Amino acid sequence: LNTGRQAMIANSTDDQNRYRVRARFGINAKLSDTFTAGIRMTTGHMDNPLSPNQSIEIRQAKLDWGLDRVFVTAKPYSWLTATAGRFANPFFSTDMVWDRSLAFDGAAVTFTPKLNDSLTGFGTIGAFPIDQVHKNSFNKAKDKWFMGAQAGLEWISPNKSSVKAGLALYDFKEVQGIRNNQDGVDT
């Protein structure tokens, strides 16, 4: 339904000054030659999957703190790494695809075989639960998952310059998008 009205968006042309802070505190521990573990606390809004800056306001008496990362990593071979828990992005990417602050919940396995002195391959597969759906006689929905697979190559020249390229396939299982309303009127 289009009534010809423009959507009303408040504060889209006014400047706003805010004082912001972000703090992180983490510990990584070597458990053995094969296993490491990590934990990290961060400030920010805990309903956000990132660890964003937090506004400092007089009405907000304290900063919100929460667990941002908690993971275990196994590296049984120099070319194989497996991580489970809540951890940093396991995929080769830029900010155009994934925010650097985003943490992934789930498990990922990365392979980095050395093909020769200057060429290394890499591959990552991962499974990450998004939402666990409570099923009952009325709700037949399925749990929501994000699956990812990536492969690529990295070439390092004799002068240590490098080029890295990868190709990824990301699949969201049981996730359905809802189109944004364009005219600001509920349909």
Side-chain angles (χ1 to χ4, degrees), residues 46-58:
M46 294 303 114
D47 59 349
N48 191 330
L50 306 176
S51 58
N53 296 330
Q54 185 171 355
S55 295
I56 299 174
E57 303 169 289
I58 196 163

Side-chain angles (χ1 to χ4, degrees), residues 130 142-147 171-176:
I130 297 173
K142 297 180 180 176
D143 293 344
K144 298 172 183 184
W145 285 81
F146 163 66
M147 309 288 195
D171 188 19
F172 292 84
K173 300 283 188 187
E174 306 301 331
V175 176
Q176 180 178 354

Side-chain angles (χ1 to χ4, degrees), residues 114-121 153-158 161-163:
K114 191 169 178 88
L115 304 174
N116 61 38
D117 288 343
S118 61
L119 193 61
T120 303
L153 294 170
E154 181 175 24
W155 175 74
I156 300 174
S157 73
S161 298
S162 66
V163 175

